[in-house]
Amino acid sequence: HSLQSAMGAATQWPLLLLGILLCRLPWTFSSTRPRSLVSMVSMRAADEDGILDGTFKEVASNLVGSMPLPGVEKEAHDAYRVGLNAQTSGDLQMAVRSYAQALRLESDPYDRSYILYNLGLCFADNGEYSKAAKYYLMAVDQNYELCSAWNNLGVLFHAQGMKAERDFRSERADALFAKAAEYWNRAASCSPGTYQDAERWLLQTGRASGDWQSDMLSAAGFR
């Protein structure tokens, strides 16, 4: 069953359902399925190597148990904890249901961004790459500095561009690579030097833009 149905069963929250329709992509991502949600997740297609950032560890887990939190906020953290444990153990339907509950309860945009990001990982691991991209986009809409979501978007679009290139659809490939470059430049800008494979691709293809190149050189001691 689709994970989307699991989410629908967990909550009637209309904004979550509306989110499914946002940033709709006219294709289904069909690159190799990610291996795991734990640690780093690899997606490989022919000559293409892309690294998806793995699940974020539980945010302030010790604080949840040791500090008094407002009831709703603690419920949201508890639901997130259940979702994270389920996701790590591979129970993606339970993870989606728990994250949906956390989204219904959580109002802070920063915390919501991590829930949406992990939902994107769930859909990617289930082979639903277009839905994964939608949730990554919703995550960065809540938290523009969520570098891992930008990186994962770049990986998805780059993998699809590689597929189009192998199918001799050069215009489509160019358009997809342009989107991959846009997202990878954003990832590089908010965390220079972290996504070295992406940065290397951007430099080699002439698609690098922004200040991340000079920031990276400055960090390395070059002026």
Side-chain angles (χ1 to χ4, degrees), residues 142-158:
Q142 298 283 297
N143 176 12
Y144 191 85
E145 298 301 317
L146 187 48
C147 306
S148 296
W150 291 122
N151 174 63
N152 289 5
L153 282 163
V155 170
L156 293 175
F157 277 85
H158 184 254

PDB file of all heavy atoms in Angstrom, residues 142-158:
ATOM      1  N   GLN A 142       9.608  25.688   5.089  1.00  0.00           N
ATOM      2  CA  GLN A 142       9.534  25.972   6.516  1.00  0.00           C
ATOM      3  C   GLN A 142      10.892  26.403   7.082  1.00  0.00           C
ATOM      4  O   GLN A 142      10.956  27.167   8.036  1.00  0.00           O
ATOM      5  CB  GLN A 142       9.059  24.728   7.266  1.00  0.00           C
ATOM      6  CG  GLN A 142       7.663  24.247   6.898  1.00  0.00           C
ATOM      7  CD  GLN A 142       6.566  25.094   7.516  1.00  0.00           C
ATOM      8  OE1 GLN A 142       6.433  25.164   8.726  1.00  0.00           O
ATOM      9  NE2 GLN A 142       5.783  25.751   6.676  1.00  0.00           N
ATOM     10  N   ASN A 143      11.959  25.874   6.499  1.00  0.00           N
ATOM     11  CA  ASN A 143      13.304  26.138   7.023  1.00  0.00           C
ATOM     12  C   ASN A 143      14.271  26.177   5.845  1.00  0.00           C
ATOM     13  O   ASN A 143      14.782  25.149   5.410  1.00  0.00           O
ATOM     14  CB  ASN A 143      13.697  25.045   8.025  1.00  0.00           C
ATOM     15  CG  ASN A 143      15.117  25.194   8.543  1.00  0.00           C
ATOM     16  OD1 ASN A 143      15.769  26.225   8.346  1.00  0.00           O
ATOM     17  ND2 ASN A 143      15.609  24.155   9.195  1.00  0.00           N
ATOM     18  N   TYR A 144      14.531  27.377   5.344  1.00  0.00           N
ATOM     19  CA  TYR A 144      15.334  27.532   4.134  1.00  0.00           C
ATOM     20  C   TYR A 144      16.752  27.017   4.315  1.00  0.00           C
ATOM     21  O   TYR A 144      17.402  26.635   3.341  1.00  0.00           O
ATOM     22  CB  TYR A 144      15.373  29.004   3.726  1.00  0.00           C
ATOM     23  CG  TYR A 144      15.962  29.253   2.357  1.00  0.00           C
ATOM     24  CD1 TYR A 144      15.163  29.157   1.221  1.00  0.00           C
ATOM     25  CD2 TYR A 144      17.308  29.581   2.206  1.00  0.00           C
ATOM     26  CE1 TYR A 144      15.696  29.383  -0.043  1.00  0.00           C
ATOM     27  CE2 TYR A 144      17.848  29.806   0.954  1.00  0.00           C
ATOM     28  CZ  TYR A 144      17.036  29.707  -0.169  1.00  0.00           C
ATOM     29  OH  TYR A 144      17.574  29.918  -1.422  1.00  0.00           O
ATOM     30  N   GLU A 145      17.252  26.985   5.536  1.00  0.00           N
ATOM     31  CA  GLU A 145      18.625  26.569   5.810  1.00  0.00           C
ATOM     32  C   GLU A 145      18.762  25.069   6.045  1.00  0.00           C
ATOM     33  O   GLU A 145      19.798  24.612   6.531  1.00  0.00           O
ATOM     34  CB  GLU A 145      19.166  27.333   7.023  1.00  0.00           C
ATOM     35  CG  GLU A 145      19.218  28.838   6.826  1.00  0.00           C
ATOM     36  CD  GLU A 145      20.081  29.236   5.640  1.00  0.00           C
ATOM     37  OE1 GLU A 145      21.164  28.650   5.478  1.00  0.00           O
ATOM     38  OE2 GLU A 145      19.665  30.120   4.872  1.00  0.00           O
ATOM     39  N   LEU A 146      17.756  24.295   5.711  1.00  0.00           N
ATOM     40  CA  LEU A 146      17.838  22.841   5.875  1.00  0.00           C
ATOM     41  C   LEU A 146      18.613  22.265   4.687  1.00  0.00           C
ATOM     42  O   LEU A 146      18.062  21.806   3.693  1.00  0.00           O
ATOM     43  CB  LEU A 146      16.429  22.250   5.956  1.00  0.00           C
ATOM     44  CG  LEU A 146      16.293  20.766   6.298  1.00  0.00           C
ATOM     45  CD1 LEU A 146      17.144  20.391   7.501  1.00  0.00           C
ATOM     46  CD2 LEU A 146      14.840  20.418   6.549  1.00  0.00           C
ATOM     47  N   CYS A 147      19.928  22.300   4.823  1.00  0.00           N
ATOM     48  CA  CYS A 147      20.822  21.978   3.699  1.00  0.00           C
ATOM     49  C   CYS A 147      20.605  20.574   3.162  1.00  0.00           C
ATOM     50  O   CYS A 147      20.707  20.326   1.956  1.00  0.00           O
ATOM     51  CB  CYS A 147      22.276  22.128   4.134  1.00  0.00           C
ATOM     52  SG  CYS A 147      22.675  23.725   4.842  1.00  0.00           S
ATOM     53  N   SER A 148      20.347  19.621   4.035  1.00  0.00           N
ATOM     54  CA  SER A 148      20.187  18.241   3.603  1.00  0.00           C
ATOM     55  C   SER A 148      19.014  18.071   2.648  1.00  0.00           C
ATOM     56  O   SER A 148      19.065  17.245   1.736  1.00  0.00           O
ATOM     57  CB  SER A 148      20.006  17.332   4.816  1.00  0.00           C
ATOM     58  OG  SER A 148      21.160  17.336   5.616  1.00  0.00           O
ATOM     59  N   ALA A 149      17.956  18.835   2.858  1.00  0.00           N
ATOM     60  CA  ALA A 149      16.807  18.743   1.955  1.00  0.00           C
ATOM     61  C   ALA A 149      17.177  19.273   0.568  1.00  0.00           C
ATOM     62  O   ALA A 149      16.794  18.687  -0.453  1.00  0.00           O
ATOM     63  CB  ALA A 149      15.621  19.514   2.526  1.00  0.00           C
ATOM     64  N   TRP A 150      17.922  20.379   0.520  1.00  0.00           N
ATOM     65  CA  TRP A 150      18.395  20.892  -0.775  1.00  0.00           C
ATOM     66  C   TRP A 150      19.268  19.856  -1.464  1.00  0.00           C
ATOM     67  O   TRP A 150      19.142  19.618  -2.675  1.00  0.00           O
ATOM     68  CB  TRP A 150      19.181  22.183  -0.580  1.00  0.00           C
ATOM     69  CG  TRP A 150      18.398  23.386  -0.152  1.00  0.00           C
ATOM     70  CD1 TRP A 150      18.605  24.143   0.966  1.00  0.00           C
ATOM     71  CD2 TRP A 150      17.299  24.001  -0.838  1.00  0.00           C
ATOM     72  NE1 TRP A 150      17.691  25.170   1.020  1.00  0.00           N
ATOM     73  CE2 TRP A 150      16.883  25.113  -0.073  1.00  0.00           C
ATOM     74  CE3 TRP A 150      16.616  23.699  -2.020  1.00  0.00           C
ATOM     75  CZ2 TRP A 150      15.823  25.935  -0.447  1.00  0.00           C
ATOM     76  CZ3 TRP A 150      15.550  24.518  -2.401  1.00  0.00           C
ATOM     77  CH2 TRP A 150      15.171  25.611  -1.629  1.00  0.00           C
ATOM     78  N   ASN A 151      20.155  19.230  -0.705  1.00  0.00           N
ATOM     79  CA  ASN A 151      21.025  18.215  -1.291  1.00  0.00           C
ATOM     80  C   ASN A 151      20.217  17.043  -1.845  1.00  0.00           C
ATOM     81  O   ASN A 151      20.464  16.571  -2.954  1.00  0.00           O
ATOM     82  CB  ASN A 151      22.008  17.705  -0.242  1.00  0.00           C
ATOM     83  CG  ASN A 151      22.848  16.554  -0.758  1.00  0.00           C
ATOM     84  OD1 ASN A 151      23.622  16.703  -1.697  1.00  0.00           O
ATOM     85  ND2 ASN A 151      22.691  15.379  -0.166  1.00  0.00           N
ATOM     86  N   ASN A 152      19.254  16.565  -1.080  1.00  0.00           N
ATOM     87  CA  ASN A 152      18.467  15.419  -1.524  1.00  0.00           C
ATOM     88  C   ASN A 152      17.653  15.752  -2.772  1.00  0.00           C
ATOM     89  O   ASN A 152      17.475  14.902  -3.653  1.00  0.00           O
ATOM     90  CB  ASN A 152      17.562  14.947  -0.403  1.00  0.00           C
ATOM     91  CG  ASN A 152      18.327  14.277   0.721  1.00  0.00           C
ATOM     92  OD1 ASN A 152      19.558  14.243   0.706  1.00  0.00           O
ATOM     93  ND2 ASN A 152      17.619  13.756   1.698  1.00  0.00           N
ATOM     94  N   LEU A 153      17.149  16.976  -2.856  1.00  0.00           N
ATOM     95  CA  LEU A 153      16.464  17.401  -4.074  1.00  0.00           C
ATOM     96  C   LEU A 153      17.414  17.356  -5.264  1.00  0.00           C
ATOM     97  O   LEU A 153      17.047  16.894  -6.348  1.00  0.00           O
ATOM     98  CB  LEU A 153      15.907  18.816  -3.900  1.00  0.00           C
ATOM     99  CG  LEU A 153      14.616  18.928  -3.080  1.00  0.00           C
ATOM    100  CD1 LEU A 153      14.395  20.368  -2.625  1.00  0.00           C
ATOM    101  CD2 LEU A 153      13.418  18.440  -3.895  1.00  0.00           C
ATOM    102  N   GLY A 154      18.644  17.830  -5.058  1.00  0.00           N
ATOM    103  CA  GLY A 154      19.627  17.762  -6.135  1.00  0.00           C
ATOM    104  C   GLY A 154      19.893  16.343  -6.576  1.00  0.00           C
ATOM    105  O   GLY A 154      19.997  16.049  -7.770  1.00  0.00           O
ATOM    106  N   VAL A 155      19.996  15.418  -5.610  1.00  0.00           N
ATOM    107  CA  VAL A 155      20.233  14.012  -5.934  1.00  0.00           C
ATOM    108  C   VAL A 155      19.093  13.452  -6.785  1.00  0.00           C
ATOM    109  O   VAL A 155      19.328  12.778  -7.797  1.00  0.00           O
ATOM    110  CB  VAL A 155      20.392  13.182  -4.643  1.00  0.00           C
ATOM    111  CG1 VAL A 155      20.393  11.689  -4.944  1.00  0.00           C
ATOM    112  CG2 VAL A 155      21.681  13.560  -3.927  1.00  0.00           C
ATOM    113  N   LEU A 156      17.859  13.729  -6.387  1.00  0.00           N
ATOM    114  CA  LEU A 156      16.712  13.190  -7.118  1.00  0.00           C
ATOM    115  C   LEU A 156      16.650  13.713  -8.545  1.00  0.00           C
ATOM    116  O   LEU A 156      16.439  12.947  -9.495  1.00  0.00           O
ATOM    117  CB  LEU A 156      15.421  13.539  -6.365  1.00  0.00           C
ATOM    118  CG  LEU A 156      15.216  12.861  -5.005  1.00  0.00           C
ATOM    119  CD1 LEU A 156      13.963  13.388  -4.344  1.00  0.00           C
ATOM    120  CD2 LEU A 156      15.146  11.354  -5.154  1.00  0.00           C
ATOM    121  N   PHE A 157      16.841  15.031  -8.710  1.00  0.00           N
ATOM    122  CA  PHE A 157      16.763  15.599 -10.054  1.00  0.00           C
ATOM    123  C   PHE A 157      17.954  15.171 -10.907  1.00  0.00           C
ATOM    124  O   PHE A 157      17.808  14.948 -12.114  1.00  0.00           O
ATOM    125  CB  PHE A 157      16.661  17.120  -9.971  1.00  0.00           C
ATOM    126  CG  PHE A 157      15.267  17.613  -9.729  1.00  0.00           C
ATOM    127  CD1 PHE A 157      14.759  17.689  -8.443  1.00  0.00           C
ATOM    128  CD2 PHE A 157      14.441  17.981 -10.784  1.00  0.00           C
ATOM    129  CE1 PHE A 157      13.465  18.120  -8.208  1.00  0.00           C
ATOM    130  CE2 PHE A 157      13.146  18.415 -10.569  1.00  0.00           C
ATOM    131  CZ  PHE A 157      12.652  18.486  -9.268  1.00  0.00           C
ATOM    132  N   HIS A 158      19.121  15.039 -10.300  1.00  0.00           N
ATOM    133  CA  HIS A 158      20.284  14.606 -11.059  1.00  0.00           C
ATOM    134  C   HIS A 158      20.110  13.168 -11.545  1.00  0.00           C
ATOM    135  O   HIS A 158      20.422  12.843 -12.692  1.00  0.00           O
ATOM    136  CB  HIS A 158      21.543  14.730 -10.206  1.00  0.00           C
ATOM    137  CG  HIS A 158      22.794  14.386 -10.940  1.00  0.00           C
ATOM    138  ND1 HIS A 158      23.482  13.206 -10.729  1.00  0.00           N
ATOM    139  CD2 HIS A 158      23.484  15.053 -11.898  1.00  0.00           C
ATOM    140  CE1 HIS A 158      24.540  13.168 -11.520  1.00  0.00           C
ATOM    141  NE2 HIS A 158      24.570  14.272 -12.234  1.00  0.00           N
TER     142      HIS A 158
END
